[in-house]
Amino acid sequence: MFWLFVGFGRGKLAFYKNLNASACATFTNVAFYDASKNPGSVPDERFYVGLVDSLRCLVAALKQPRISPMPTAAPQSLAHRLSSLIDSDQAVSNLQLYFGTGLPREATAFTGSRFEHLVGGGDRPAVANSVTADDLIAVQTLSVRIPVQAAIDLLEGHLGVQVSKLLSEVRFDIDMVEAETADLADGSPAHDAWRLLKSQRGIGWVTAGKLLARKRPRLLPVYDHVVRCVLGRPKTFWLDLHAALRADNWALHHDLMALRQAADLPETVSVLRVCDVVLWMHHRTDHQ
Protein backbone atom coordinates (compact mmCIF):
# COMPACT_ATOMS: atom_id res chain seq x y z
CA MET A 1 0.00 0.00 0.00
CA PHE A 2 1.21 3.55 -0.72
CA TRP A 3 -0.11 7.08 -0.53
CA LEU A 4 0.29 10.09 -2.79
CA PHE A 5 -0.54 13.72 -2.17
CA VAL A 6 -0.56 16.43 -4.79
CA GLY A 7 -0.84 19.96 -3.50
CA PHE A 8 -1.16 23.35 -5.17
CA GLY A 9 -0.59 26.69 -3.53
CA ARG A 10 0.91 30.11 -4.20
CA GLY A 11 2.61 29.17 -7.40
CA LYS A 12 4.05 25.96 -5.99
CA LEU A 13 3.21 22.48 -7.12
CA ALA A 14 4.22 19.81 -4.57
CA PHE A 15 4.23 16.06 -5.04
CA TYR A 16 4.78 13.57 -2.24
CA LYS A 17 5.38 9.86 -2.76
CA ASN A 18 5.86 7.21 -0.08
CA LEU A 19 9.24 5.55 -0.59
CA ASN A 20 7.68 2.26 0.56
CA ALA A 21 5.18 2.40 -2.27
CA SER A 22 3.83 -0.60 -4.10
CA ALA A 23 6.18 -2.09 -6.66
CA CYS A 24 3.64 -1.38 -9.38
CA ALA A 25 4.12 2.39 -8.97
CA THR A 26 6.68 3.09 -11.68
CA PHE A 27 6.75 6.89 -11.80
CA THR A 28 9.87 8.62 -10.56
CA ASN A 29 10.02 10.47 -7.24
CA VAL A 30 9.12 14.14 -7.46
CA ALA A 31 9.89 16.50 -4.60
CA PHE A 32 8.97 20.18 -4.90
CA TYR A 33 8.59 22.28 -8.02
CA ASP A 34 8.28 26.05 -7.95
CA ALA A 35 6.44 26.87 -11.18
CA SER A 36 6.85 30.63 -10.66
CA LYS A 37 10.66 30.39 -10.66
CA ASN A 38 11.15 27.51 -13.02
CA PRO A 39 8.14 27.01 -15.25
CA GLY A 40 9.85 24.17 -17.07
CA SER A 41 10.28 22.02 -13.99
CA VAL A 42 6.94 20.26 -14.08
CA PRO A 43 6.23 16.54 -14.36
CA ASP A 44 6.21 15.14 -17.84
CA GLU A 45 3.86 12.59 -19.33
CA ARG A 46 5.68 9.68 -17.68
CA PHE A 47 4.70 10.95 -14.25
CA TYR A 48 0.98 11.04 -15.07
CA VAL A 49 1.10 7.63 -16.73
CA GLY A 50 2.70 6.28 -13.57
CA LEU A 51 0.14 8.12 -11.43
CA VAL A 52 -2.78 6.55 -13.28
CA ASP A 53 -1.16 3.14 -13.06
CA SER A 54 -0.56 3.59 -9.34
CA LEU A 55 -4.14 4.63 -8.67
CA ARG A 56 -5.32 1.59 -10.63
CA CYS A 57 -3.24 -0.64 -8.36
CA LEU A 58 -4.60 1.14 -5.29
CA VAL A 59 -8.21 0.64 -6.36
CA ALA A 60 -7.54 -3.02 -7.12
CA ALA A 61 -5.95 -3.52 -3.71
CA LEU A 62 -8.91 -1.91 -1.96
CA LYS A 63 -11.25 -4.30 -3.72
CA GLN A 64 -9.42 -7.35 -2.38
CA PRO A 65 -11.34 -9.12 0.39
CA ARG A 66 -9.86 -8.75 3.82
CA ILE A 67 -8.87 -12.13 5.23
CA SER A 68 -8.79 -12.46 8.99
CA PRO A 69 -5.91 -14.54 10.30
CA MET A 70 -6.80 -17.93 11.66
CA PRO A 71 -6.70 -18.08 15.45
CA THR A 72 -3.63 -19.82 16.77
CA ALA A 73 -3.36 -21.98 19.80
CA ALA A 74 -1.60 -20.59 22.85
CA PRO A 75 2.07 -21.58 22.91
CA GLN A 76 3.00 -24.48 25.11
CA SER A 77 5.04 -23.76 28.19
CA LEU A 78 8.66 -24.77 27.91
CA ALA A 79 8.22 -27.33 30.69
CA HIS A 80 5.32 -28.96 28.87
CA ARG A 81 7.19 -29.02 25.57
CA LEU A 82 10.28 -30.54 27.17
CA SER A 83 8.24 -33.17 28.99
CA SER A 84 6.49 -34.25 25.82
CA LEU A 85 9.81 -34.71 24.00
CA ILE A 86 11.50 -36.48 26.89
CA ASP A 87 8.57 -38.87 27.18
CA SER A 88 8.60 -39.67 23.46
CA ASP A 89 9.13 -43.24 22.30
CA GLN A 90 12.37 -42.29 20.55
CA ALA A 91 14.08 -40.57 23.49
CA VAL A 92 15.91 -43.60 24.89
CA SER A 93 16.89 -45.02 21.51
CA ASN A 94 18.11 -41.61 20.33
CA LEU A 95 20.31 -41.27 23.39
CA GLN A 96 21.73 -44.75 22.85
CA LEU A 97 22.36 -43.99 19.19
CA TYR A 98 24.10 -40.70 20.00
CA PHE A 99 26.30 -42.05 22.78
CA GLY A 100 26.81 -45.48 21.22
CA THR A 101 25.40 -47.52 24.10
CA GLY A 102 23.87 -50.91 23.34
CA LEU A 103 24.78 -50.66 19.67
CA PRO A 104 26.53 -53.24 17.48
CA ARG A 105 30.31 -53.18 17.73
CA GLU A 106 30.67 -51.75 14.21
CA ALA A 107 28.34 -48.83 14.98
CA THR A 108 29.95 -45.44 15.64
CA ALA A 109 28.74 -42.98 18.24
CA PHE A 110 28.31 -39.31 17.40
CA THR A 111 31.45 -37.25 17.96
CA GLY A 112 29.49 -35.05 20.34
CA SER A 113 29.32 -37.96 22.75
CA ARG A 114 32.88 -37.03 23.76
CA PHE A 115 32.11 -33.35 24.33
CA GLU A 116 31.87 -33.46 28.12
CA HIS A 117 34.42 -36.18 28.78
CA LEU A 118 37.25 -35.47 26.35
CA VAL A 119 40.59 -35.44 28.26
CA GLY A 120 38.80 -35.64 31.58
CA GLY A 121 36.31 -32.82 30.99
CA GLY A 122 36.51 -29.06 31.05
CA ASP A 123 35.19 -28.75 34.61
CA ARG A 124 37.82 -30.83 36.37
CA PRO A 125 39.25 -28.73 39.21
CA ALA A 126 42.70 -28.27 37.70
CA VAL A 127 41.35 -26.45 34.61
CA ALA A 128 37.82 -25.46 35.59
CA ASN A 129 38.55 -21.73 35.50
CA SER A 130 40.62 -21.53 32.32
CA VAL A 131 40.06 -22.32 28.67
CA THR A 132 42.49 -24.97 27.44
CA ALA A 133 43.42 -26.41 24.08
CA ASP A 134 41.41 -29.49 25.09
CA ASP A 135 38.31 -27.31 25.37
CA LEU A 136 38.87 -25.88 21.91
CA ILE A 137 39.02 -29.40 20.48
CA ALA A 138 36.01 -30.49 22.52
CA VAL A 139 33.71 -27.84 21.00
CA GLN A 140 34.68 -29.13 17.56
CA THR A 141 32.90 -32.39 18.42
CA LEU A 142 29.73 -30.26 18.30
CA SER A 143 30.53 -28.95 14.82
CA VAL A 144 31.76 -25.48 15.75
CA ARG A 145 35.24 -23.97 15.73
CA ILE A 146 36.91 -21.15 17.60
CA PRO A 147 38.71 -18.91 15.08
CA VAL A 148 42.50 -19.09 15.33
CA GLN A 149 43.00 -15.50 16.51
CA ALA A 150 40.35 -15.88 19.21
CA ALA A 151 41.82 -19.25 20.21
CA ILE A 152 45.28 -17.71 20.67
CA ASP A 153 43.77 -14.90 22.72
CA LEU A 154 41.91 -17.41 24.90
CA LEU A 155 45.00 -19.52 25.47
CA GLU A 156 47.68 -16.83 25.80
CA GLY A 157 46.10 -13.39 25.72
CA HIS A 158 43.94 -10.92 27.61
CA LEU A 159 40.69 -12.59 26.55
CA GLY A 160 41.73 -15.74 28.38
CA VAL A 161 42.44 -13.70 31.51
CA GLN A 162 39.02 -12.06 31.34
CA VAL A 163 37.20 -15.35 30.82
CA SER A 164 39.14 -17.02 33.63
CA LYS A 165 38.21 -14.24 36.04
CA LEU A 166 34.53 -14.65 35.21
CA LEU A 167 34.66 -18.46 35.37
CA SER A 168 36.19 -18.25 38.84
CA GLU A 169 32.91 -16.69 39.96
CA VAL A 170 30.73 -19.41 38.41
CA ARG A 171 30.23 -22.59 40.42
CA PHE A 172 31.14 -25.86 38.70
CA ASP A 173 29.80 -28.22 41.36
CA ILE A 174 26.04 -27.69 41.06
CA ASP A 175 23.35 -28.61 38.57
CA MET A 176 21.26 -25.92 36.93
CA VAL A 177 18.25 -27.00 38.98
CA GLU A 178 20.18 -26.20 42.17
CA ALA A 179 21.26 -22.76 41.04
CA GLU A 180 19.56 -19.49 41.90
CA THR A 181 18.02 -17.31 39.22
CA ALA A 182 20.70 -14.71 39.91
CA ASP A 183 23.36 -17.24 38.88
CA LEU A 184 21.99 -17.27 35.33
CA ALA A 185 20.40 -13.86 34.83
CA ASP A 186 21.72 -10.97 32.78
CA GLY A 187 24.61 -9.44 34.71
CA SER A 188 25.70 -12.68 36.34
CA PRO A 189 29.32 -13.81 35.80
CA ALA A 190 28.09 -16.68 33.61
CA HIS A 191 26.05 -14.36 31.42
CA ASP A 192 28.88 -11.83 31.27
CA ALA A 193 31.24 -14.58 30.12
CA TRP A 194 28.79 -15.55 27.38
CA ARG A 195 28.46 -11.94 26.22
CA LEU A 196 32.21 -11.48 26.24
CA LEU A 197 32.80 -14.58 24.14
CA LYS A 198 29.92 -13.75 21.80
CA SER A 199 31.42 -10.33 21.12
CA GLN A 200 34.61 -11.81 19.67
CA ARG A 201 34.96 -11.92 15.90
CA GLY A 202 33.92 -15.31 14.59
CA ILE A 203 32.35 -16.48 17.86
CA GLY A 204 28.57 -16.29 17.75
CA TRP A 205 26.01 -17.04 20.44
CA VAL A 206 26.03 -20.78 19.65
CA THR A 207 29.81 -21.24 19.90
CA ALA A 208 30.03 -19.06 23.00
CA GLY A 209 27.36 -21.15 24.69
CA LYS A 210 29.02 -24.44 23.74
CA LEU A 211 32.37 -23.35 25.11
CA LEU A 212 30.75 -22.38 28.41
CA ALA A 213 28.81 -25.66 28.47
CA ARG A 214 32.16 -27.44 28.21
CA LYS A 215 33.43 -25.50 31.25
CA ARG A 216 30.20 -25.80 33.28
CA PRO A 217 28.32 -28.85 31.88
CA ARG A 218 26.07 -29.26 34.90
CA LEU A 219 25.08 -25.60 35.08
CA LEU A 220 25.05 -24.24 31.52
CA PRO A 221 23.37 -26.01 28.58
CA VAL A 222 24.41 -26.56 24.99
CA TYR A 223 22.04 -24.45 22.91
CA ASP A 224 22.02 -24.14 19.12
CA HIS A 225 19.71 -23.37 16.23
CA VAL A 226 18.17 -26.86 16.20
CA VAL A 227 17.29 -26.83 19.90
CA ARG A 228 16.06 -23.24 19.72
CA CYS A 229 13.79 -24.16 16.84
CA VAL A 230 12.27 -27.27 18.42
CA LEU A 231 11.51 -25.32 21.60
CA GLY A 232 9.81 -22.46 19.80
CA ARG A 233 12.60 -19.89 20.24
CA PRO A 234 12.34 -19.06 23.96
CA LYS A 235 13.45 -15.51 24.70
CA THR A 236 15.56 -16.26 27.78
CA PHE A 237 16.58 -19.87 27.40
CA TRP A 238 18.77 -20.22 30.48
CA LEU A 239 16.13 -18.74 32.77
CA ASP A 240 13.25 -20.53 31.06
CA LEU A 241 15.01 -23.89 31.28
CA HIS A 242 15.96 -23.22 34.89
CA ALA A 243 12.32 -22.53 35.77
CA ALA A 244 11.16 -25.63 33.89
CA LEU A 245 13.64 -27.85 35.72
CA ARG A 246 12.60 -26.52 39.11
CA ALA A 247 8.84 -26.71 38.53
CA ASP A 248 6.76 -29.30 40.38
CA ASN A 249 9.51 -30.21 42.85
CA TRP A 250 12.14 -30.69 40.15
CA ALA A 251 9.95 -33.15 38.19
CA LEU A 252 11.65 -32.52 34.84
CA HIS A 253 15.10 -32.85 36.38
CA HIS A 254 14.17 -36.21 37.87
CA ASP A 255 12.66 -37.35 34.57
CA LEU A 256 15.93 -36.57 32.80
CA MET A 257 17.87 -38.53 35.42
CA ALA A 258 15.57 -41.49 34.89
CA LEU A 259 15.99 -41.17 31.12
CA ARG A 260 19.77 -41.18 31.51
CA GLN A 261 19.54 -44.40 33.49
CA ALA A 262 17.16 -45.99 30.99
CA ALA A 263 19.64 -45.27 28.19
CA ASP A 264 22.43 -46.87 30.26
CA LEU A 265 24.49 -43.69 30.37
CA PRO A 266 26.95 -42.94 33.19
CA GLU A 267 26.07 -40.31 35.77
CA THR A 268 28.97 -38.24 34.49
CA VAL A 269 26.78 -37.33 31.53
CA SER A 270 25.04 -34.23 32.84
CA VAL A 271 21.28 -33.86 32.98
CA LEU A 272 21.56 -30.83 30.71
CA ARG A 273 23.45 -32.86 28.13
CA VAL A 274 20.78 -35.56 28.21
CA CYS A 275 18.17 -32.88 27.62
CA ASP A 276 20.12 -31.30 24.76
CA VAL A 277 20.76 -34.58 22.96
CA VAL A 278 17.12 -35.66 23.18
CA LEU A 279 15.98 -32.34 21.69
CA TRP A 280 18.67 -32.21 19.02
CA MET A 281 18.17 -35.81 17.88
CA HIS A 282 14.42 -35.31 17.71
CA HIS A 283 14.62 -32.30 15.39
CA ARG A 284 17.94 -32.47 13.54
CA THR A 285 16.57 -33.99 10.32
CA ASP A 286 13.51 -31.73 10.19
CA HIS A 287 15.32 -28.48 11.03
CA GLN A 288 15.65 -25.98 8.20
Side-chain angles (χ1 to χ4, degrees), residues 115-130 135 171-174 212-219 268 270:
F115 171 68
E116 288 187 326
H117 297 142
L118 188 69
V119 197
D123 60 338
R124 64 190 191 276
V127 298
N129 295 332
S130 60
D135 299 324
R171 293 184 62 177
F172 63 86
D173 58 347
I174 59 172
L212 288 177
R214 163 72 179 180
K215 303 308 299 179
R216 297 293 184 270
R218 296 172 57 187
L219 179 65
T268 52
S270 70

Side-chain angles (χ1 to χ4, degrees), residues 37-55:
K37 294 182 179 179
N38 188 4
S41 61
V42 295
D44 59 17
E45 182 180 354
R46 292 175 301 167
F47 174 84
Y48 294 104
V49 171
L51 176 60
V52 172
D53 184 54
S54 303
L55 292 176

Side-chain angles (χ1 to χ4, degrees), residues 112-209:
S113 64
R114 300 296 303 149
F115 171 68
E116 288 187 326
H117 297 142
L118 188 69
V119 197
D123 60 338
R124 64 190 191 276
V127 298
N129 295 332
S130 60
V131 176
T132 68
D134 300 332
D135 299 324
L136 303 184
I137 296 173
V139 297
Q140 293 185 36
T141 68
L142 299 183
S143 302
V144 297
R145 290 178 179 271
I146 305 293
V148 173
Q149 188 56 55
I152 293 172
D153 204 3
L154 281 167
L155 297 176
E156 300 179 347
H158 183 59
L159 178 60
V161 174
Q162 291 177 290
V163 172
S164 293
K165 183 178 184 301
L166 291 169
L167 285 175
S168 68
E169 301 177 46
V170 181
R171 293 184 62 177
F172 63 86
D173 58 347
I174 59 172
D175 291 325
M176 175 180 268
V177 72
E178 301 173 287
E180 300 296 331
T181 301
D183 295 326
L184 304 164
D186 191 0
S188 66
H191 196 272
D192 287 347
W194 177 78
R195 289 176 64 91
L196 174 61
L197 289 168
K198 184 173 70 76
S199 69
Q200 306 305 308
R201 177 173 296 183
I203 302 180
W205 62 270
V206 172
T207 303

